[in-house]
Amino acid sequence: MSSYYAAIPPQVYEVTWQSGHVERVIAHQVISGSSRVRVAALGDNSFATSSEDTRLTFHAEVDGQWVLQLSALETDIRTIRNITNGEQTPGGAS
């Protein structure tokens, strides 16, 4: 059985918690059950609904196994940045 993600490198995410603690999470996938996160990604959260117990989950394929890397309440996280390629400037040259 071949690994779907064998040729796909994982992404590196910098998670800043509400407490100010910063950590890095390596994952192939980030999932949110919240419409607030999806709408906020578009720059407008005026139509979003809030849920106190919405979780964000980060998954990665490790040694051919799909592994939960992190599961956290959305309200516990201040920011998430994809830092796989270092600091990125929107619209900048690649």
Side-chain angles (χ1 to χ4, degrees):
M1 181 169 149
S2 67
S3 167
Y4 177 78
Y5 288 98
I8 301 171
Q11 303 289 301
V12 180
Y13 297 93
E14 180 182 84
V15 177
T16 304
W17 298 90
Q18 291 294 354
S19 66
H21 174 73
V22 178
E23 68 180 281
R24 291 185 176 176
V25 179
I26 298 172
H28 283 103
Q29 179 185 71
V30 180
I31 299 175
S32 170
S34 169
S35 62
R36 186 173 83 194
V37 170
R38 289 191 298 272
V39 174
L42 300 174
D44 177 15
N45 61 2
S46 59
F47 298 106
T49 58
S50 173
S51 174
E52 293 297 318
D53 59 353
T54 301
R55 296 192 82 80
L56 293 168
T57 57
F58 294 73
H59 295 87
E61 188 174 290
V62 179
D63 296 328
Q65 298 292 318
W66 196 237
V67 178
L68 176 65
Q69 299 293 83
L70 175 71
S71 177
L73 291 174
E74 180 182 318
T75 55
D76 289 343
I77 296 176
R78 184 179 306 158
T79 61
I80 301 170
R81 296 186 323 141
N82 183 331
I83 60 169
T84 304
N85 296 319
E87 295 292 328
Q88 300 176 29
T89 304
S94 47

